[in-house]
Amino acid sequence: MQCKDILDNPILEFLVNLNGRGANWFGDEYDNSITHAMPRNISDKLVLAKMRSLIKKGLIYGCTCGCRGDFIITEGGTKLS
């Protein structure tokens, strides 16, 4: 699986539904984990790569280095969700 195989819309819709709370990338045990919007059993490396691609597109902002791991949708991302 590659980033291009992961759809943007489920991720953007998930972020919109958090009502500005933001998402993290740490495991499924958190209700705001972005992994809930991703295909099952993908690696952390692929999750972060996908989030980096959405940041480059200007659809979200956040941190993909792994320290904070938080993501918030931008106005442009909200329009596409």
Side-chain angles (χ1 to χ4, degrees):
M1 181 173 281
Q2 298 176 345
C3 284
K4 66 182 180 181
D5 301 321
I6 302 170
L7 299 175
D8 294 350
N9 263 10
I11 298 167
L12 298 176
E13 289 171 10
F14 180 79
L15 290 170
V16 165
N17 289 332
L18 290 176
N19 297 316
R21 188 170 61 140
N24 67 53
W25 67 274
F26 310 110
D28 289 343
E29 63 269 13
Y30 299 99
D31 66 337
N32 67 330
S33 174
I34 201 66
T35 59
H36 294 300
M38 301 271 182
R40 290 209 157 283
N41 300 319
I42 66 171
S43 69
D44 288 345
K45 182 178 176 181
L46 186 53
V47 169
L48 293 176
K50 180 60 179 184
M51 299 312 283
R52 267 192 302 277
S53 76
L54 293 175
I55 290 170
K56 286 180 185 177
K57 292 178 184 179
L59 301 176
I60 66 169
Y61 63 92
C63 177
T64 59
C65 78
C67 67
R68 294 188 335 235
D70 61 334
F71 304 103
I72 297 175
I73 194 161
T74 64
E75 186 176 325
T78 301
K79 290 178 183 176
L80 288 179
S81 65

